Structure formats: C-alpha cells, structure tokens
C-alpha cells in the first residue's frame, strides 16, 4: 500500500461511444488513475485481479463489472451491468449521484452542457433517475467497497472521470470544417487528455483506442500540445506509441482493441452510459411527437427509418435537419 507521499505514476484511458450513428451525440470519455511510480501497463492491469471482470452483474455478485462497454451492455440485456460497474467506481470518488443531470455536470464542461440543454430532444435529461436499472441502490456501495479494497491494496486510485458530449450541431459544424469525423474524434480525445494532464505532476501513460486504420497520430499530438515535443517510439499494426521530451514524461499509446485496458475500459463505460441515457431521452421526445414510433439506437439503416418518421414533425416544428441529423 502507498502513502500520500509515495512517488506515483498516472494512467489515463480514453474511449468513445456513438462514433458511427447518424442520431444522438458522440460521447468521448476519459478516466485518470494514480498508481505506484514503478508500475508497468501489465502490473496496472493485473492489480485489478478477480475483483473486476467483464461479466454480467447479478445481485450479490463478488465482482465489479469492468470492461469494454460493448460487452457489458446490449439492448437485450439492458443497463444494469454497465450501471453497476460505472456507479460503483463513481462511488469511490464521491457520494453517488441521484440524477443524470448531476452525473453529467460532474464530468462535462459547462459549454457542452449548455449546448445539450438547448436542444428540445434532450431537454428533460437532467432529472432522470440514477441508477435507472439497478433495483437495489445499496448494491452500488457494496460493489464500491469491493473495488476500493482491491485497488487500495495495490496502491491504485481512481482520480477523475471526464467526458465530452458532442451534440449534433457541433458535430456537423466540426466535420464541415475539417472534412473528417476522425479529426473531430482525435481532437476531442486529446482535449480530454490535456485537461487531465493538468492533474498529473509525475510520469503519465495515456491509452487511447486506435481510430480506424490510422497509424500516425504525431501531427494530432503536436497540435493538441504545442508546448510539448513528441517522438514516435513504436508503430505496429496493433499500436502506435509516442513519448514527450518534456518533464515529467508523457507516453501516449493508440491501440487496436485498447478498451480492454482497465483505464480505457472505464472511459468506455462512462461514454456508453452517458450516450445510452441521452438516447433514452431523445427517443422519448420523438415518440411523444410521432404515434407508434419505435425507438432507435441511431445507427445507419435504422436511423433512416427513424428519420423518415420524424422529419415531417421536425419541419413543422421548424427544426433544421442539421440540428438533429449527423452528416457522417
């Protein structure tokens, strides 16, 4: 176990939810952790042990759900597993939130929250209950105690959780400017990294999911952190890695399947949870406007079905298409 004065190393994980859909927000999230100064990536992962697993939540289970959010959530199984793991880790930071608005205010910037609140189909999000799927709220505290006991024993601590909620108008404006939603995602990812690095007074490793087939992220790093100079340390089909030349050192990795790493998995879970809760609000809004409208996850094909149903109503309400339909 480490004391407050023990030298530390920091780990940051970043991931997204909603990159592919035509409806709903793109959410990029990040988690920040401290660990003993000599910890490697493998040691950090191993420290989570059997107390954490990419398995379904069940009442009185002895593990905290943690992993790729696509494996913890589906429309068939619902939010309970994703919610159990995410809220248990939130509870290690502070008193659990009771409403979605409180949770979002905790992780997102006031500017992005204002944009969210300005859109009619998200207007009712703030007072949605948290948790939404867990029937026994005491389970959150029980799982949080399991997490704290495991991680404290290895000198690991969750320090912060952050998210960028990029609503449809901002998404369209950014893509129109750069011509690429990949550029938007890279910029949002590294903006969160820069924010969290302000809380990292020692060496830090950053883990991001590789975006598509892209391998070269050096220009993005230099643009996001102009006061730093990065060099490429490794490039393969699986990972692109870079190191800053400043002090303290910052290592940044872009990996295929990177959301299996605990810090990135935590970010994946936050991003997915926020997006799914906001999609719930979006669906409720449009279903109030259109009789017998089936909900959507916002992905292509089904999104076009949904668009065909709501477009006449949006026109009647004088809501421009680029306010609710993402161009890519």
């Amino acid at each position: 176990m480490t004391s407050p004065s023990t030298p530390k190393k920091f780990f940051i994980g970043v991931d997204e939810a909603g990159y592919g859909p035509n409806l709903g927000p793109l959410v990029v999230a990040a988690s920040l952790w401290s660990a003993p100064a000599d910890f490697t990536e493998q040691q950090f992962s191993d420290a989570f042990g059997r107390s954490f697993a990419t398995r379904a939540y069940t009442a009185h289970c002895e593990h905290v759900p943690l992993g790729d959010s696509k494996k913890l959530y589906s429309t068939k199984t619902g939010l309970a597993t994703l919610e159990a793991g995410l809220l248990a880790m939130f509870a290690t930071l502070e008193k659990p939130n009771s409403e979605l608005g409180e949770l979002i205010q905790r992780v997102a910037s006031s500017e992005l929250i204002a944009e969210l609140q300005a859109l009619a189909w998200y207007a009712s999000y703030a007072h949605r209950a948290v948790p939404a799927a867990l029937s026994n709220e005491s389970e959150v505290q029980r799982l949080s105690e399991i997490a704290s006991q495991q991680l404290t024993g290895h000198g690991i601590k969750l320090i912060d959780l952050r998210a960028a909620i990029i609503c449809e108008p901002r998404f369209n404006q950014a893509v129109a400017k750069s011509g690429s939603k990949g550029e938007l995602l890279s910029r949002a990812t590294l903006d969160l990294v820069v924010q969290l690095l302000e809380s990292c007074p020692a060496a830090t490793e950053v883990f991001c999911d590789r975006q598509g087939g892209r391998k070269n992220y050096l220009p993005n790093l230099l643009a996001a952190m102009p006061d730093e100079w990065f060099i490429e340390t490794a490039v393969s089909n699986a990972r692109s890695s870079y190191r800053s030349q400043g002090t303290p050192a910052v290592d940044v990795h872009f990996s295929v399947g990177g959301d299996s790493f605990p810090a990135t998995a935590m970010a994946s879970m936050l991003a997915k949870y926020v997006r799914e809760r906001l999609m719930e609000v979006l669906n409720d809004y449009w279903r109030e406007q259109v009789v017998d409208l089936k909900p959507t996850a916002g992905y292509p094909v089904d999104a076009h079905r949904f668009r065909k149903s709501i477009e006449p109503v949006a026109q009647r309400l004088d809501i421009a298409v680029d306010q609710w339909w993402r161009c890519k």
Side-chain angles (χ1 to χ4, degrees):
M1 187 182 298
T2 59
S3 69
S5 60
T6 303
K8 293 181 175 64
K9 179 179 180 178
F10 295 89
F11 290 88
I12 295 173
V14 192
D15 203 10
E16 56 78 22
Y19 183 67
N22 293 113
L23 293 164
L26 166 63
V27 183
V28 186
S31 69
L32 169 63
W33 308 70
S34 64
D38 59 352
F39 256 39
T40 64
E41 175 184 350
Q42 189 62 53
Q43 287 174 309
F44 184 86
S45 294
D46 290 346
F48 284 72
R50 294 181 180 179
S51 296
F52 294 83
T54 310
R55 294 200 307 270
Y57 160 80
T58 57
H60 312 300
C61 65
E62 297 182 0
H63 73 280
V64 179
L66 179 71
D68 179 356
S69 62
K70 293 184 289 296
K71 297 178 181 178
L72 297 176
Y73 168 82
S74 73
T75 54
K76 290 183 179 179
T77 59
L79 275 173
T81 294
L82 183 62
E83 195 167 60
L86 176 65
L87 298 185
M89 293 309 302
F90 252 117
T92 69
L93 289 173
E94 57 195 31
K95 180 181 177 182
N97 303 124
S98 61
E99 294 183 331
L100 185 60
E102 294 175 344
L103 188 152
I104 287 178
Q105 189 172 29
R106 166 66 178 75
V107 300
S109 71
S110 56
E111 178 186 10
L112 295 179
I113 290 173
E115 292 179 5
L116 179 70
Q117 293 170 333
L119 299 173
W121 45 100
Y122 298 126
S124 67
Y125 83 90
H127 299 298
R128 299 278 170 136
V130 173
L134 292 178
S135 57
N136 187 347
E137 293 185 28
S138 65
E139 281 289 271
V140 171
Q141 188 58 41
R142 185 183 69 82
L143 292 172
S144 181
E145 290 169 2
I146 292 174
S148 293
Q149 183 175 3
Q150 174 71 22
L151 297 178
T152 301
H154 290 275
I156 294 175
K157 184 179 180 181
L158 176 63
I159 302 296
D160 202 2
L161 289 165
R162 302 293 299 167
I165 303 169
I166 302 166
C167 293
E168 301 90 332
R170 178 183 284 263
F171 182 98
N172 289 332
Q173 290 165 10
V175 172
K177 185 175 181 179
S178 68
S180 166
K181 69 178 181 179
E183 287 298 317
L184 166 61
L185 179 57
S186 293
R187 189 159 53 249
T189 294
L190 293 175
D191 282 350
L192 286 177
V193 170
V194 170
Q195 289 177 34
L196 290 178
L197 283 174
E198 294 178 2
S199 301
C200 301
T204 305
E205 281 200 70
V206 182
F207 297 83
C208 308
D209 210 23
R210 179 178 275 177
Q211 299 142 14
R214 182 176 187 174
K215 291 184 178 180
N216 182 18
Y217 295 90
L218 190 57
N220 303 81
L221 286 167
L222 296 175
M225 291 175 261
D227 293 333
E228 295 280 359
W229 183 255
F230 286 86
I231 61 169
E232 186 178 88
T233 56
V235 175
S236 69
N237 290 332
R239 174 177 283 188
S240 302
S241 296
Y242 306 87
R243 172 169 287 182
S244 74
Q245 299 303 286
T247 303
V250 178
D251 287 280
V252 186
H253 311 287
F254 296 87
S255 307
V256 175
D259 43 16
S260 62
F261 183 64
T264 313
M266 188 78 257
S268 170
M269 291 169 66
L270 174 59
K272 186 67 172 176
Y273 186 75
V274 170
R275 175 172 161 85
E276 290 305 318
R277 295 304 308 275
L278 291 175
M279 287 303 296
E280 168 192 305
V281 180
L282 179 151
N283 275 296
D284 286 351
Y285 173 82
W286 289 111
R287 293 178 77 187
E288 288 177 359
Q289 311 297 325
V290 180
V291 177
D292 296 329
L293 178 64
K294 293 182 180 179
T296 184
Y299 288 86
V301 180
D302 190 60
H304 285 275
R305 182 269 307 172
F306 198 86
R307 172 175 177 165
K308 185 177 180 180
S309 296
I310 71 171
E311 194 157 16
V313 177
Q315 290 175 348
R316 189 172 71 248
L317 295 173
D318 197 27
I319 304 173
V321 173
D322 63 3
Q323 296 295 293
W324 53 268
W325 181 261
R326 283 167 38 181
C327 59
K328 288 188 178 180

